[in-house]
């Protein structure tokens, strides 16, 4: 980290490597043929550089993140961080919507996010967000987040129509205050910490789902490629996070409605409804059995996606177990994860071995 | 900035963010349908990192510029800067042709360049340039620039034929010496400074216009995509720049001839002639009315493009006004610009709000 | 180079520019029409940044290399460098196969690699390598390298089938120990150094040749684009390297067999056999004639490729001479190379002028 003498400027550089071996396939299966793939691979899954610091005033903070293995500018934000109760965020980056997405891939409890993420994420967007923390420490300790965005992800510079994306998140922190977006109870909370949140977002554009990529505006499996302004998306989310003495638990439930505005009101294909959710819990058994190394965590997760509530037998499920050894917290860790992945009534196992190193 | 103890090497890193909100559209309209777009957008318009320094000898200077939001290597040059009267430039970067293009997007008076730029720019090229300043301080103070380039922009590594691009610029600095390529009189010139320049360039290739992009060799609107060596381009430019006591004025006039060498001599479609020009002026009113904040500038610009002098009613015009507050000169400023854009006899307004921050 | 006080972390940044002028063409010709190209060009051939250092432990080394002019992550490796006799390499980078490819483009004796390279290289891959040096200094001083990789190059994150690429290299260092992968005897070996090596690799995938590019899995000229798992490649190599008192010599011989597994056993088109080789030698004549500047080297190379041993008159040949002035060893040098390139019985000359600067 560099700092000018008068503390007018500062700059910290951080690099991260995520090396993974996946067998028999890597990406989440969405169809029966996906389940049958046999493409075991070594890969550099993520290769990121982050620049972080402040400029001109200590409260003017910048943050840039680039992934060398997927050349798109992921994050570039200016945050006016003067008042805890109201911060202003300008640029491109993650919408403060749900924990699983906002938590960095470096700070996840598992090797990767659950099968819920790819279909429900609001992802990274370009725009403006206001957020803050009210009544810190009180029983009615509240965090809020509100944003307006172009709504086509990070890969497009111009909007497709004059509709913006709007998002909001409200979080109640009854115990332990506002938790940072970081999974696993590495910090060892002596006192329990508990956060509840709800969030909603709406957008009209040609996209039905987003990815952080130069092709960021994408189509949900089964939906035709959108034309400018064709799809209205309404989505909602409910989330619980809890950490105490090496134990951590979290839960999210997602609803998403895609309205094809080019179809007439009576057309049953006009609306698609989707649902998904996850629950995961982890523990450092050292705190029960001191013989077990202190930095070893075991965790389990169940997640499901119903990609169209109007259809039967299309439910996707994930049941995963992971063992993680934290050499230096989330900065240097090795995970081994087994996932049992089900689509309808067929299933397959996936194994992941990963080393995540930040320096 | 880092420097080795013996001053054999130095390296300075600079980052720049340009965050913009555009309504109802962003890019310059070139057709009637462009004028009717309604795509208001937040965007990270530019996200650049610059490395600058010297290596092995103090006179061997390097400069690299990359834009994270548009992944192409913009500038990478080595300059042998030993003699003021003759410097040698090798690599990839801007041709020293006209002020509007050569001035960094960070040092413009307006939010963006005028409507003239995209169609007349010689842009960035790969090759060699020689330039220098003769008789500094005399009434016949002269700057010259001459270059030879591959002539397909920065996106192609090989030429399409054996014709090179040649460019030359001659500048007379009767008052105040050679001005740097930076707009607005932020420096507050006590004495008037005045520079005249003329420039010319010629190239034969498949390109009729250039952009700094991985697709750098482009076609003018209305011209068919070129084949290898199809188009000969001849262009000329005349430029005046003036700064005095917070007032600044500049003017450019451009001519461009595109010859389709695949058409026979008698064919009237063989040659396309284009014309364009701009005049802009700005002032810091604080110097007249001390109550007005010192760092506030007002400026106006008129620009026109005649994309084909053989056609009528295709004239494109821009009349813009801009208000800029310079927190830290060009390094940290906010602009608000209104443009009245006309094509033939139809027009529309465009509004731009922009924060440009270099650190 | 930066280093934390406890030496837990270190980071060195290195940049490199390779500016080249090529006439009448740049890339190696593979067909008669290639020989007739006339595209003389200035180019930034390479523009690289390297990050190198260690993290958490002195023996955990990282290395990242990016080329700004060709945006793909070239190298990103973690090496556990604790024991000379067994190092573990994880990530993406060059397979330790042959000297010509493994030697950085900055440390070559010529302007560019020979015509053998593009068709026989195993290139960069993603996976794991183990290597080490046994009995250092003894007459049976041995270096070994073994690796397993996904086998589609650096541009693909997932494998196309469940077949991995395997590679091995065995090197005997009878004189002077294990030489680093760096050409020309800049170091001036007082005592002769001699290394012999053999290597082999096998892979099954849709690729028949590799390039470090986002499109890394490529087809040999004359072979149809592959489908998943279509081609089995078996290849072998033999190599000699020698340096003594300003003189350096090296030689490689390559064999490659491409088996189209979709064709039946009896089909004569099922197997394609290729052969290629090079021999090159250089000398700093200053050591014989002290009047000649010390940093001037002359070198010559002969290389040939037989792209299909079943065909006649398709042999490609290169005879090259190069003069190099090393301002600061391989870090700052200028080369001028002439190549006489032959395909069948037609030929052409190619001239290259290049400045390679690392800082």
């Amino acid at each position: 980290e560099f700092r000018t003498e008068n503390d007018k400027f500062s700059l910290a550089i951080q690099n991260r490597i995520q090396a993974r071996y996946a067998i028999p396939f890597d990406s989440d299966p969405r169809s029966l043929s996906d389940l049958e793939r046999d493409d075991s691979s070594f890969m550099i899954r993520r290769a990121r550089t982050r620049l972080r610091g402040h400029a001109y005033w200590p409260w003017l903070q910048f943050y840039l993140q680039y992934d060398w293995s997927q050349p798109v500018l992921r994050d570039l934000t200016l945050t006016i961080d003067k008042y805890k109760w109201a911060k202003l965020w300008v640029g491109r980056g993650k919408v403060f919507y749900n924990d699983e997405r906002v938590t960095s891939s470096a700070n996840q409890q598992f090797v990767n996010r659950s099968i819920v993420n790819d279909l429900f994420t609001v992802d990274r967007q370009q725009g403006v967000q206001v957020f803050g923390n009210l009544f810190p420490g009180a029983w009615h300790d509240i965090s809020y987040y509100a944003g307006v965005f172009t709504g086509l992800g990070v890969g497009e510079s111009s909007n497709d129509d004059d509709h913006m994306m709007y998002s909001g998140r409200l979080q109640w922190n009854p115990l332990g205050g506002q938790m940072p977006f970081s999974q696993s109870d590495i910090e060892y909370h002596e006192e329990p910490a508990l956060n509840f949140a709800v969030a909603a977002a709406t957008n009209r554009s040609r996209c039905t789902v987003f990815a952080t990529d130069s092709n960021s505006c994408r189509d949900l499996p089964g939906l035709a490629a959108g034309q400018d302004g064709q799809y209205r998306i309404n989505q909602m989310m409910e989330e619980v996070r809890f950490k105490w003495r090496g134990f951590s638990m979290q839960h999210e439930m997602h609803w998403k409605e895609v309205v094809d505005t080019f179809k007439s009101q009576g057309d049953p294909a006009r609306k698609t409804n989707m649902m998904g959710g996850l629950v995961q819990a982890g523990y450092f058994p050292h705190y029960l059995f001191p013989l077990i190394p202190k930095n070893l965590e075991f965790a389990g997760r169940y997640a499901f996606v119903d990609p169209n509530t109007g259809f039967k037998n299309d439910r996707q499920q994930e049941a995963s177990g992971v063992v993680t050894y934290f050499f230096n917290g989330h900065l240097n860790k090795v995970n081994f994860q087994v996932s049992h992945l089900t689509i309808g009534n067929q299933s397959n196992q996936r194994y992941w071995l990963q080393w995540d190193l930040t320096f």
Side-chain angles (χ1 to χ4, degrees), chain A residues 16 18-22 26 45-46 104-106 108-114 183 301 318 320-324 333-339 350-356:
Chain A
R16 184 155 73 89
Q18 207 179 61
R20 185 187 289 178
Y21 178 66
D26 183 58
R45 181 62 180 75
R46 290 173 170 101
S104 161
S105 58
Q108 301 278 329
Q109 194 160 33
F110 289 76
V111 165
N112 221 4
R113 296 186 180 90
S114 76
Q183 303 182 355
R301 171 165 75 192
E318 173 196 347
S320 297
V322 70
V323 189
T324 307
K333 62 181 176 183
V334 171
N335 321 70
F336 176 69
Q337 177 174 337
V338 185
S339 295
R350 176 180 58 194
Y351 302 88
W352 271 338
L353 180 65
Q354 182 167 286
W355 184 6
D356 197 308

Side-chain angles (χ1 to χ4, degrees), chain A residues 33 70 91 131 296:
Chain A
S33 67
Q70 194 185 3
F131 58 101
L296 196 69

Side-chain angles (χ1 to χ4, degrees), chain A residues 60-330:
Chain A
L60 178 53
Q61 297 175 346
F62 61 86
Y63 174 52
L64 180 151
Q65 188 180 221
Y66 197 74
D67 192 317
W68 303 93
S69 68
Q70 194 185 3
V72 67
L73 178 63
R74 307 182 82 80
D75 297 281
L76 180 55
T77 59
L78 295 173
T79 305
I80 297 180
D81 183 1
K82 233 176 155 168
Y83 309 104
K84 278 227 152 188
W85 47 270
K87 303 180 185 181
L88 178 68
W89 176 109
V90 177
R92 130 182 335 193
K94 286 179 186 169
V95 177
F96 292 114
Y97 183 76
N98 64 316
D99 176 85
E100 188 182 39
R101 185 71 191 98
V102 177
T103 297
S104 161
S105 58
N107 296 344
Q108 301 278 329
Q109 194 160 33
F110 289 76
V111 165
N112 221 4
R113 296 186 180 90
S114 76
I115 59 168
V116 173
N117 182 64
D118 281 359
L119 304 183
F120 291 86
T121 182
V122 186
D123 209 59
R124 288 181 171 89
Q125 300 288 345
Q126 306 189 72
V128 175
Q129 297 190 80
V130 179
F131 58 101
N133 185 218
L134 307 175
F135 322 113
W139 68 265
H140 52 289
D141 179 331
I142 294 280
S143 304
Y144 71 91
Y145 308 79
V148 48
F149 311 92
T150 299
L152 294 175
V154 298
E156 307 277 333
S157 69
S158 274
N159 209 337
D160 62 332
D161 61 5
D162 60 339
H163 293 90
M164 296 277 147
M165 173 189 272
Y166 301 92
S167 81
R169 175 183 163 100
L170 202 65
Q171 180 178 317
W172 176 36
N173 315 310
L175 295 173
Q178 175 186 317
M179 282 194 270
F181 290 108
S182 179
Q183 303 182 355
S184 297
D185 188 21
I186 303 180
E187 313 87 25
Y188 192 75
H189 282 76
E190 281 284 355
E191 300 298 319
L194 177 64
N195 288 183
F196 293 106
V198 290
T202 184
N203 186 34
R204 184 165 162 185
S205 72
R206 62 171 193 270
C207 329
T208 50
V209 72
F210 303 97
T212 302
D213 191 82
S214 53
N215 168 24
S216 61
C217 176
R218 301 205 174 171
D219 312 307
L220 279 168
L223 276 177
Q227 291 178 266
D228 290 354
Q230 180 172 0
Y231 292 108
R232 161 67 62 187
I233 298 178
N234 300 308
Q235 56 186 116
M236 261 176 52
M237 190 278 313
E238 165 263 310
E239 172 199 307
V240 182
R241 293 186 287 156
F242 178 74
K243 288 187 179 186
W244 192 31
R245 300 195 167 176
F247 174 80
S248 59
M249 197 281 293
Q250 74 187 80
H251 157 73
E252 293 183 13
M253 193 74 201
H254 290 261
W255 296 267
K256 181 168 172 178
E257 180 189 60
V258 180
V259 184
D260 181 346
T261 63
F262 288 11
K263 291 212 163 70
S264 64
Q265 286 286 355
D267 191 330
R270 186 175 149 90
K271 284 192 189 183
T272 306
N273 281 287
M274 303 166 61
M275 238 176 96
L278 69 97
V279 56
Q280 68 185 50
Y283 189 60
F284 289 84
H286 170 80
Y287 298 116
L288 275 181
F289 312 102
L291 276 178
I292 295 176
K294 208 186 157 192
N295 298 326
L296 196 69
E297 190 195 31
F298 289 83
R301 171 165 75 192
Y302 171 76
F304 80 95
V305 166
D306 186 341
N308 190 330
T309 56
F311 293 157
K312 293 215 165 180
N313 296 322
D314 59 349
R315 176 170 287 226
Q316 302 162 11
Q317 295 179 80
E318 173 196 347
S320 297
V322 70
V323 189
T324 307
Y325 191 85
F326 295 89
F327 292 98
N328 306 77
H330 280 305

